[in-house]
Amino acid sequence: MNRKNFRLPTRGRGASHRGPRGDQMGRTIATEVVPSAPLGLVVGQFLASDAPRTVSAGQSFRITDVETIASFNWLDKVDAHITVPGMPPKWSPLAQPRQLKQDSGPYYRDRNAAYYPDFPLEASVEAIMKMNSDADKAPSMGPINIVGCASTLGNLLRFARGESSTFRILVEVVGTTVHFIRREKSPREIIPDVFGYGHTFPESYTTWDKSVRGSASHQRILKYHFGGLTLLVRFEGDGYLPHHASASLFKDAGREKKVDAASVDDLVASLSVSHKAPSTNGSLTISDGGHAVPSRAVFDLKTRSVHRKADEDGIIAKEMPRLWLRQMPTLILAYHEKGVFRDINVKDVRAGVDKWQEENQEILARFAGLLGRIVDFAREHKVSKLEMTCDEGSDILYVREQIAVQMTAFSPRVEHRWKSWLTNHGTSVNGKDDDKAGQGSGDALHRASLDYTACDDECGYCGGCAY
């Protein structure tokens, strides 16, 4: 599909009643039926049933040391264009409820890949490098083990929980860092049969700041420690609460990345100052615009029919794993009756997320073990580009050679810069980074945090028997 033949929209956040969040095309394009790509040769596999079912005394599997290290907005441009650091749309509810139109038209399954299908992770790492460019001033992050989005990690978490859906994840190793890339049938695959108000509601109840006018999506990248690993996790921010946006309100505000203060006119003007990131098949334009919004002001948004309000606890419980992966503090649940939203609840879910984490230690132990095994396998395999596949309800996660792939995570020159950045920023200066991680971020410490008592000589679970 020629990039010149479509335009990306300015709106489309939240969740529709059917399917994950996607994106709506700004022009009428015939929907293509895209067959699944062929599968490569199996070179390894992981079984969910192999994971330990108990947590040893003294062990704890928690996300710690959460920090927003970068953010950016996708702009509504024919060509790929981001503004850094960008900002989410502001929560600005209507003074009086009115009937909204239902969602209509095609929406993308994978928004980031659709915007820049040649190199779907390039925008994320460009934002990270731009906002953390000074190695002398930026704090050492320690070795980065995994870079991925909340969608790919969510699929792996469901697999560890024994609730796997069908998915495919591309795996690329740059240096010693393992990258997960969501793989659909096509980068611009469309979600069929979308209905509800998950897109039209945020169009009416949130607004973009003038400094990021023309935005289509806000993306955030968190760094945190989990299971002895350091992860960079990208996800979409549905919006922010203005009364929580003051940095002084948050105990972690000092760790948010800041942009020099500027007038609205200065920020708008800055959108015209841009540079082209090198690419072999296309180009990514990067502009300065917006300002950093504290992570605790950001919210996730869900719309539901008012007839489902009686099951609100169940709705929230179902969202807990994804809120945990995103470390999301606030969930807005908006209930409608035939498109009129009179019941909108802004919920602080931090205590609930913490409770879910404490009550699911066995699942999180299996999840940590799975991530550690994937990292070890990918690093040790002679091919740096692999693919993981799983069928719905399956207990087996296959690792395959990549074939019939028309995209890669990065263009060659950006991959070179990213590898250099990982080297310069990923070295612990005095051990403080490992202390912050609780049990350290190195592989040896990761293995030491796992329970090997269920292993035998042939299980192949964690590799611990070989050390």
Side-chain angles (χ1 to χ4, degrees), residues 187-337:
R188 296 189 179 118
E189 183 180 353
I190 301 301
I191 307 170
D193 304 323
V194 173
F195 64 90
Y197 301 89
H199 295 85
T200 56
F201 178 81
E203 288 175 2
S204 300
Y205 283 75
T206 63
T207 55
W208 295 108
D209 187 82
K210 291 181 179 179
S211 63
V212 290
R213 182 171 291 167
S215 292
S217 166
H218 176 70
Q219 304 289 320
R220 303 176 70 82
I221 299 103
L222 296 182
K223 178 184 76 72
Y224 53 66
H225 299 294
F226 173 69
L229 301 170
T230 302
L231 295 85
L232 302 185
V233 182
R234 189 202 69 226
F235 65 95
E236 182 172 6
D238 286 340
Y240 79 96
L241 301 171
H243 59 284
H244 284 170
S246 173
S248 63
L249 295 177
F250 308 106
K251 64 183 181 181
D252 64 346
R255 298 160 70 182
E256 299 288 344
K257 302 299 178 185
K258 299 295 190 299
V259 176
D260 291 338
S263 68
V264 170
D265 290 340
D266 290 337
L267 291 170
V268 173
S270 70
L271 290 175
S272 64
V273 181
S274 61
H275 70 275
K276 295 284 187 178
S279 171
T280 56
N281 297 331
S283 60
L284 174 68
T285 302
I286 304 172
S287 300
D288 297 316
H291 60 81
V293 172
S295 59
R296 296 200 178 202
V298 179
F299 62 77
D300 200 57
L301 174 64
K302 294 295 176 186
T303 60
R304 296 290 185 268
S305 168
V306 70
H307 301 296
R308 296 191 59 189
K309 183 173 175 60
D311 188 35
E312 182 167 286
D313 290 344
I315 293 172
I316 296 175
K318 188 176 180 180
E319 297 299 320
M320 278 299 159
R322 66 185 304 277
L323 295 173
W324 176 78
L325 280 170
R326 293 161 175 80
Q327 289 294 285
M328 188 65 64
T330 304
L331 174 65
I332 295 181
L333 270 176
Y335 297 98
H336 72 90
E337 185 174 6

Side-chain angles (χ1 to χ4, degrees), residues 116-135:
Y116 198 35
D118 297 333
F119 310 114
L121 285 187
E122 195 148 298
S124 296
V125 302
E126 287 282 16
I128 292 170
M129 291 187 290
K130 183 176 177 63
M131 295 184 67
N132 302 271
S133 58
D134 193 333

Side-chain angles (χ1 to χ4, degrees), residues 57-118:
Q59 285 185 306
S60 179
F61 293 90
R62 298 179 176 86
I63 289 177
T64 63
D65 302 291
V66 182
E67 182 178 358
T68 304
I69 65 163
S71 58
F72 64 94
N73 284 24
W74 284 108
L75 298 185
D76 178 24
K77 301 284 187 179
V78 172
D79 294 314
H81 190 146
I82 64 171
T83 182
V84 180
M87 60 189 302
K90 180 173 65 175
W91 176 243
S92 49
L94 299 175
Q96 294 293 332
R98 58 179 173 82
Q99 188 170 24
L100 305 181
K101 294 181 179 180
Q102 280 207 28
D103 297 339
S104 62
Y107 295 87
Y108 293 128
R109 286 193 182 278
D110 186 352
R111 188 184 297 255
N112 280 271
Y115 291 163
Y116 198 35
D118 297 333

